[in-house]
Amino acid sequence: MGLKRVPWDRFVLRMETQMHYYPIFLDIEQRKVVVVGGGSVAERKVRNLLENGAEVSVIAQKLTSSLRQLVEKGTVSVLGRKFKASHLDGAFLAVAATTDALLNRKVAEEARKRGVLVNAVDQPEECDFIVPSIFRRGDLLIAISTSGKSPALSKKIRVGLEKEFGQEYESFLVLMGSLRKEILKQQMPQDKRRRMFQRLVDSEIPEKIKKGDWKGISAILTGILGRQISKADVLNYLEIG
């Protein structure tokens, strides 16, 4: 038996009524974030938040050993064992990461009353935002989302991209940042600058960084920039040495 065909107009209508997320990157440096929950899921959330500079507070009956260590070090604060709506006062984000769906819903409701963005783990209907599967290469941050449909697929795609974009891209972005400042200072037509930037990103520089081929990078930059670039120049751009 073949698959039942869905009329195109009904398919489009169904697509238009589905939830669509607006992708953004938030600055949470020194912002208060409240995490309700103390299990392994909450621990992963807390670590991710800390890595991005948030000031994290937790509310939980029990904490994992790793979370207890973070509390003992003063890296994370504890607001209490039981959630109270007042715990959300002054918060920028809230994360409900308990195994109690009703408690997660209550956290979400109280957060919205206060204008606090909230994420409830495994309850997309209670979320103002969802957390994508991410990986970082210095200033390169790649995020993958299936809009909550399949975290497993997000992970599979992330793992594939991690192999394609290795640690060399961290150095490549440092190089591009240095070159961008230099090129923008020069008096040249905008189209010429744009073509120059495109040649740089289309070049084999990342591969040569991976191999440590500074001579090869020097040759590429010399050709693109129109002036002699030495190995010392390359290392200076890369902020090495």
Side-chain angles (χ1 to χ4, degrees), residues 23 58 74 100 103 157 195 210 215 239:
V58 297
D100 185 338
L103 175 55
I157 294 171
R195 289 194 299 271
K210 187 175 182 179
K215 184 177 179 180
E239 301 176 7

Side-chain angles (χ1 to χ4, degrees), residues 37-39 59-64 67-68 81:
I59 302 155
Q61 295 279 357
K62 295 175 63 177
L63 298 173
T64 65
L67 281 176
R68 284 199 302 272
R81 292 171 58 85

Side-chain angles (χ1 to χ4, degrees), residues 6 39 47 51 87 95 99 108 123-124 131 155 162 174 180 235:
V6 178
R47 291 192 179 279
E51 287 173 4
H87 288 148
V95 178
T99 56
Q123 293 175 236
V131 180
K155 180 180 179 180
E162 283 178 332
V174 173
R180 182 177 177 81
L235 296 179

